Amino acid sequence: MPLFAGRQQRTFGPKPSVADQPDAADASDSTPVPRRPRIPKPIQSKSAGETTPLPILPLTVLSITMLGEFLSANVSTPFILKMVEGFGVSDVGSWGGNLVASFFITQFLTSLLWATIAERHGARLVLFISLLGTALTCALFGTSTTLPQAFAIRLMQGIFAGAIGVARGCVSHITDSSNEGRAYAIIGFCWGFGGVVGAIIGGSLESPADKWPDTFSKYSLLVKYPYLLPCAAASSITLLGAFLSLFLGRDGGLREGAIRLLPEKLLRAREEADIIAEADPEARLGALVRLNSFFSLPRRFRRQPLSPAPVPDEEAAPQPELPTPNVNANSKADGAAYGYSSARPRLPTGTASSRRLVAEALRRRRGSGRGAGGDDQHMNFAQRLLMANETQVMSLTDLWVQAAINVDTPNPQDLLEDEEEDEEERERGRAATLLEAPGSRPRLTRRASSSASVLPAIFTHTGVKSRGAPMLEGEDILPLRRDPSADSTTTNRTETQQAQQSTLSQLPLFIIFQYGLLALHSTTHDQVFLSYLSSAYDAGGLALKPAGYAQLIALMSFAQISYQFYLYPNIGPPRGRFSHLNMFRIGSALYIPSYLSVIMYRAFASKNGDGGGIVIMSALALSTAVRYCGSTFAYTSVVILLNYVSPPHVVGLANGLAQSIVSLARFFGPILGGYLWSASVKENPSGYPLGFFVCSGVCAVAIFLSFFVR
């Protein structure tokens, strides 16, 4: 007789649709029906099941923050070389790259400052200052008349953009386990949309007095500052976000309800809720969700941090008590008008349960290190700086991967209840009876199977094996500790050996190096490509106008959103046939033809400087589409591999180190790209392919090194 017959087994992940249900004739067949893993989508499907509604106001502010950072950095890209040329600079390519890079160096250096301010004074203050400062500096950049002035304003833009990591960390304050993945998908979509809006605004609205003289030539301000209009239009979006951020709570979430219940009414409401929960637990959830106001989310359904203190005996653990009638009516913790602000029971840590250890690691992967110092207040300055950069956002991939990790992660309270069920089963001595027929491959016990089920589907089929203990049979997952039933002496010796290892030796340095190399050659190429498109034909370029470049980038930004949310998860994991390592190689290989093919398009460029026609624009769109596809594949796979191969206790530091290296690559890449372009066309315009050849060679080296990943 099956071990769990007559009893409903808890499962995680999406519920099977009606089409996935077996027929009545096959009801007796015990073969499980395969289900397609969920992937993050910004729009929730109707069959997604019960999820806590997302709070609109905090999510709007965070989305504007993400959109505004990319918008302020990208709105000037179509005309920045034209602006530098207007300053009377001779070496336009080199100085243009330096101006682009200046934004990212101050963003990197100020991330720790903003994280410290958020930890001490709250995230609301950081969000308000960041959004307001971004709005002002973006508008001021449009009034630059000299190169030093443009550099100074660009550096200030990067300072205010350094708070993007704080905004990403605020997601955990406004979500729970049922909607966190969707929240990351939404802000990721807004980040990608910022690239579209920024390119369109910058390329369409620059020099309005020249494009529409009948309308704008009468405004002397726009005649004197031809780039003020696009910068002011972009800053208006972040200015709106700064105003809305004033209505948030101190931690960037929701404010507590201003209306208070009397203590006796609060007690009665809690008692009634407990009675309803005993009869039908789901009824209470539905009632509380219906009571949720437009700008409010019950504290009960916000994910709480895991308790640092172990609970040796769960039965002896103290139970939460109901509030007494003499409770302070002005307390924000228990005096909310809705009457259900008690915190969700926290998941104990420190036990030998593999499921709890998995839950700990998953939560670390969801964004540890929101504060300046992470979990360890004794870190040195370098470690704290790395941890502050852990939640920085460098691309759409960072947010999509975070959404994919959280999209099917179960509720820690469900894990706790499932663990209690396992304890009962072990007491009855029936756990060893769950085996297949004689001669067939043994299945995992329920304990191991449940442990595997809580791992996100995005970590399946990685193409590499993680370091540490052996994997569970038949599962491509990362085990976190040794089996608690192992010999205690061996366990202690293993833990001692692991403790003696330095943190540096446990970091996946080879994956981090690949990540940095990818960021370096892609950002270098972006600057070479921008110079190639914007430079005059006699100077080795295609003489493409800012409006044409804006159309090209906006179209590719739309394509990247499609690549990220739909193409990658259906070709690679969790639904496709290719592993993440193979997707990295495919993406890196796509870079090379996209880099080299644009060299041939100069033959179709017009020598009179009108920017070419539909032929060259179509060819550029094709090559750029391939490049954006390769970028999506390579960046997504390397970020997932980084999270997968990192031991759980160094995931935060590994991500912080990787994001810091990418930040530095975003700084050095434009400088290197501008130098390569200037050096290639300085003596002879026909030497323009040099930068593309160098980037292709570095990409080929990255592909070769990927075969050494184990």
Side-chain angles (χ1 to χ4, degrees):
M1 181 177 179
L3 176 60
F4 300 103
R7 167 174 195 177
Q8 183 180 4
Q9 300 184 24
R10 184 181 304 276
T11 58
F12 301 109
K15 296 180 179 180
S17 60
V18 177
D20 294 333
Q21 298 292 343
D23 297 334
D26 299 332
S28 61
D29 189 3
S30 60
T31 303
V33 179
R35 294 176 298 176
R36 301 186 70 188
R38 288 194 297 174
I39 57 176
K41 295 180 181 179
I43 300 177
Q44 185 178 8
S45 61
K46 295 182 179 180
S47 61
E50 290 288 338
T51 58
T52 306
L54 288 168
I56 296 179
L57 180 61
L59 187 63
T60 300
V61 174
L62 296 182
S63 298
I64 291 177
T65 305
M66 296 293 177
L67 184 147
E69 193 274 345
F70 199 10
L71 188 62
S72 61
N74 200 40
V75 67
S76 59
T77 303
F79 59 78
I80 195 166
L81 291 183
K82 183 180 177 181
M83 172 187 279
V84 173
E85 186 178 5
F87 295 152
V89 178
S90 58
D91 193 355
V92 176
S94 181
W95 283 109
N98 295 338
L99 187 59
V100 171
S102 60
F103 176 93
F104 301 107
I105 187 61
T106 51
Q107 182 187 30
F108 166 72
L109 294 176
T110 57
S111 58
L112 177 59
L113 173 65
W114 290 117
T116 305
I117 295 176
E119 187 178 18
R120 296 181 179 178
H121 303 287
R124 176 181 58 192
L125 177 64
V126 172
L127 291 176
F128 173 73
I129 296 177
S130 172
L131 289 168
L132 181 62
T134 299
L136 295 178
T137 53
C138 184
L140 284 175
F141 187 75
T143 64
S144 302
T145 55
T146 62
L147 187 61
Q149 183 182 3
F151 265 106
I153 299 176
R154 187 77 173 173
L155 289 171
M156 287 192 295
Q157 279 187 279
I159 291 175
F160 292 110
I164 193 71
V166 175
R168 176 177 170 179
C170 289
V171 176
S172 62
H173 293 289
I174 66 171
T175 59
D176 59 22
S177 58
S178 68
N179 57 14
E180 187 175 10
R182 182 169 172 242
Y184 274 112
I186 291 174
I187 62 175
F189 180 85
C190 292
W191 172 276
F193 191 67
V196 178
V197 176
I200 293 177
I201 292 177
S204 302
L205 300 183
E206 60 92 20
S207 304
D210 297 336
K211 295 180 178 179
W212 306 286
D214 296 337
T215 304
F216 294 100
S217 60
K218 56 185 178 182
Y219 299 103
S220 58
L221 189 65
L222 297 180
V223 174
K224 182 179 180 181
Y225 304 113
Y227 310 110
L228 176 60
L229 183 60
C231 293
S235 64
S236 63
I237 299 176
T238 53
L239 187 63
L240 174 63
F243 172 74
L244 294 177
S245 66
L246 296 175
F247 298 93
L248 299 178
R250 183 181 184 276
D251 60 356
L254 294 151
R255 289 182 181 269
E256 298 292 341
I259 303 175
R260 307 297 178 193
L261 287 178
L262 295 177
E264 57 271 15
K265 291 185 178 181
L266 178 61
L267 176 61
R268 188 179 304 112
R270 296 258 180 108
E271 291 174 346
E272 292 175 355
D274 290 336
I275 294 174
I276 295 175
E278 292 179 1
D280 186 2
E282 295 184 358
R284 187 185 190 194
L285 174 61
L288 297 184
V289 170
R290 287 192 295 272
L291 287 173
N292 183 24
S293 67
F294 186 77
F295 292 104
S296 201
L297 179 70
R299 181 184 292 272
R300 178 178 178 82
F301 300 105
R302 303 180 198 171
R303 194 185 71 239
Q304 300 294 329
L306 300 176
S307 173
V311 180
D313 187 1
E314 296 182 6
E315 296 181 356
Q319 300 296 327
E321 299 180 359
L322 292 174
T324 57
N326 61 353
V327 68
N328 183 7
N330 295 324
S331 173
K332 289 186 178 182
D334 294 315
Y338 308 106
Y340 47 79
S341 61
S342 60
R344 173 186 300 180
R346 298 182 180 181
L347 183 65
T349 62
T351 66
S353 168
S354 60
R355 247 164 304 181
R356 298 182 183 184
L357 294 171
V358 171
E360 290 181 50
L362 290 178
R363 193 187 184 286
R364 301 252 344 186
R365 296 177 191 274
R366 284 199 291 262
S368 60
R370 288 190 302 269
D375 296 332
D376 189 357
Q377 299 299 327
H378 302 287
M379 293 182 178
N380 56 36
F381 176 80
Q383 290 174 320
R384 295 176 70 239
L385 180 61
L386 296 180
M387 292 299 295
N389 278 279
E390 180 197 359
T391 51
Q392 289 291 336
V393 181
M394 304 301 172
S395 63
L396 173 61
T397 293
D398 296 327
L399 297 169
W400 186 89
V401 171
Q402 198 70 36
I405 291 176
N406 288 278
V407 72
D408 55 0
T409 302
N411 187 339
Q413 177 63 16
D414 294 337
L415 296 177
L416 179 59
E417 295 173 359
D418 202 38
E419 176 65 21
E420 294 173 351
E421 294 177 2
D422 279 356
E423 292 292 343
E424 297 175 0
E425 297 299 340
R426 282 195 297 272
E427 290 176 1
R428 296 168 185 165
R430 298 186 297 180
T433 62
L434 187 61
L435 297 175
E436 292 283 355
S440 62
R441 181 181 179 180
R443 296 186 303 179
L444 295 173
T445 63
R446 182 175 183 234
R447 179 183 180 89
S449 180
S450 300
S451 302
S453 64
V454 303
L455 284 166
I458 198 65
F459 284 138
T460 61
H461 197 31
T462 59
V464 299
K465 290 185 178 181
S466 62
R467 293 176 292 179
M471 293 186 177
L472 294 176
E473 184 177 2
E475 297 292 336
D476 185 19
I477 65 171
L478 175 62
L480 302 177
R481 299 277 181 89
R482 293 176 56 88
D483 191 329
S485 62
D487 180 73
S488 59
T489 303
T490 306
T491 303
N492 294 334
R493 184 168 56 253
T494 303
E495 292 178 353
T496 303
Q497 292 174 355
Q498 292 178 352
Q500 293 175 351
Q501 294 179 356
S502 65
T503 302
L504 184 63
S505 65
Q506 300 180 49
L507 292 174
L509 297 180
F510 194 76
I511 299 294
I512 295 175
F513 173 76
Q514 285 279 52
Y515 196 0
L517 195 63
L518 171 64
L520 182 62
H521 77 71
S522 61
T523 53
T524 301
H525 170 267
D526 288 343
Q527 187 62 35
V528 174
F529 186 64
L530 173 62
S531 302
Y532 177 58
L533 296 183
S534 304
S535 299
Y537 183 86
D538 295 336
L542 299 181
L544 196 66
K545 296 181 179 179
Y549 177 81
Q551 295 172 5
L552 179 65
I553 298 302
L555 180 63
M556 293 304 105
S557 297
F558 268 122
Q560 185 181 23
I561 295 175
S562 176
Y563 295 153
Q564 189 70 76
F565 283 92
Y566 300 101
L567 187 60
Y568 185 94
N570 286 284
I571 295 179
R575 296 181 175 180
R577 57 174 296 184
F578 295 104
S579 67
H580 288 302
L581 185 57
N582 288 332
M583 292 296 286
F584 175 77
R585 293 166 181 162
I586 293 173
S588 300
L590 290 176
Y591 272 116
I592 297 178
S594 65
Y595 285 175
L596 299 179
S597 60
V598 296
I599 299 175
M600 302 180 293
Y601 301 155
R602 183 171 159 80
F604 301 96
S606 175
K607 297 182 180 180
N608 56 16
D610 60 359
I614 189 172
V615 175
I616 192 171
M617 286 300 298
S618 300
L620 286 172
L622 178 60
S623 295
T624 311
V626 174
R627 177 166 61 89
Y628 271 69
C629 183
S631 176
T632 302
F633 287 4
Y635 271 102
T636 304
S637 56
V638 76
V639 170
I640 293 174
L641 289 174
L642 174 66
N643 281 269
Y644 178 77
V645 302
S646 300
H649 60 286
V650 297
V651 167
L653 188 60
N655 278 283
L657 177 59
Q659 294 295 76
S660 299
I661 291 177
V662 173
S663 296
L664 295 177
R666 296 174 81 189
F667 169 69
F668 288 108
I671 296 177
L672 181 59
Y675 172 78
L676 286 174
W677 175 258
S678 298
S680 63
V681 299
K682 183 176 181 180
E683 300 295 338
N684 185 5
S686 60
Y688 67 92
L690 175 63
F692 298 101
F693 287 143
V694 172
C695 293
S696 299
V698 175
C699 188
V701 171
I703 297 175
F704 173 75
L705 293 178
S706 69
F707 288 94
F708 293 92
V709 176
R710 293 291 182 265

